Amino acid sequence: MTTTASQEEFLRAFHAEHPAVTAEAFGRGRAPDGRSSYEILSDRVAGSTRVLDLGCGDGLVLELLARAGVRRLAGLDLSARSLAWARRRPGLAGAALVEGRAQQLPFADGSFDACVSHMALMLMSEIDHVAAETARVLSPGGLLACVLGGGAVGEEAYELFVRLLRRTIAEAPAAQRIPPLGDRRTRHREGLDEILGPAGFAPVEWETVPIDLSGPVGQVWAALSGLYDLGPLDAERVDRLREAFSTEVRHLTAPDGRVPCAFTVHVATARLCDAGGTRPGG
């Protein structure tokens, strides 16, 4: 089996079991201005009328866009189960929700004036094909906006959890480890420019935003345990990880029972150059 096939098989299987995992884990997280990362992404394409969501999952971003009045919405995802959940959202009754791969988009040239992706672009293999296909379905001057995973913020619960998780994975047999996912160039601005530039996009605008997930220990665990890495672990290892986390996080817990937990996301936007190779208005 090729690397790409094994990656996509893992993602399909994981989301068949956890169809709304990302929204459930991170939907309540808030930036300093009070918005969720989903709301930040939706706001980045304000004013657009035709929007495609790559890796749309259970449709949370699309629902926000529908509420904002976007007239034509489409979502693409590998997971049939996640798409079934998206179709339950009343605001998406008229959206085109398609099972498929971002490397081969089933849409005509210039179909959209914006494309969004929440915590999904960084998971995709053959990312240069994804960039080329995204450019193809965008109209000249179209906007690509993505939320990408960042890292821990200080000595808080997220960093503690990642440290314990890495130890657990190191002790697990190879069969209980996830395949490598995505292209590491998507994790930093220069790498994303390297991917998007050849496809015809202008230089990336990049912002790093802290997202607060603080709350009672059970609530924090529920969010963090949605990470892909836990998927292949056997129940006993997951139980031990939860127990270790609950024990070691006590020194961080406030008197009111609140556990400080934060991580960062990167919000990246890039506009497709017009036919002359320049940004509209440039």
Side-chain angles (χ1 to χ4, degrees), residues 32 53 58 76 83 85 100 104 110 115 147 188 271:
D53 186 354
D58 70 322
L76 179 120
L83 289 168
W85 279 53
Q104 297 172 307
C115 177
V147 168
H188 54 90
R271 197 168 289 279

Side-chain angles (χ1 to χ4, degrees), residues 33 38 52 113 128 158 168 172 174 191 194 197 207 215 241 243 263:
D33 64 7
Y38 294 90
L52 168 65
D113 48 31
D128 299 293
Y158 184 83
T168 300
E194 183 180 319
E207 180 184 6
L241 175 60
E243 291 170 5
F263 69 103

Side-chain angles (χ1 to χ4, degrees), residues 31-45:
D33 64 7
R35 292 182 296 169
S36 71
S37 54
Y38 294 90
E39 292 167 329
I40 291 171
L41 182 59
S42 175
D43 290 347
R44 283 294 195 278
V45 296

Side-chain angles (χ1 to χ4, degrees), residues 6 20-21 23 28 35 38 52 70-71 85 105 107 128 131 152-154 159 163 169 173 207 240-241 256 274 281:
S6 64
V21 64
R28 69 172 190 83
R35 292 182 296 169
Y38 294 90
L52 168 65
V70 177
R71 293 201 305 268
W85 279 53
L105 293 175
F107 304 105
D128 299 293
V153 179
E159 183 175 7
R163 187 164 65 249
I169 292 170
E207 180 184 6
R240 288 203 302 266
L241 175 60
D256 64 358
D274 62 21

Side-chain angles (χ1 to χ4, degrees), residues 1-15 78-79 100-104 123-126 130 179-181:
M1 182 182 296
T2 66
T3 300
T4 295
S6 64
Q7 292 170 346
E8 294 180 0
E9 181 180 292
F10 167 77
L11 291 169
R12 285 191 185 94
F14 184 91
H15 286 284
L78 284 172
S79 171
R101 305 176 67 242
Q103 297 85 350
Q104 297 172 307
L123 303 174
M124 297 177 186
S125 59
E126 301 173 359
V130 176
L181 297 175

Side-chain angles (χ1 to χ4, degrees), residues 10 14 174-179 227-235 238:
F10 167 77
F14 184 91
Q176 294 187 31
R177 298 174 190 172
I178 67 172
L227 295 182
Y228 288 112
D229 303 79
L230 276 75
L233 296 174
D234 61 65
V238 174

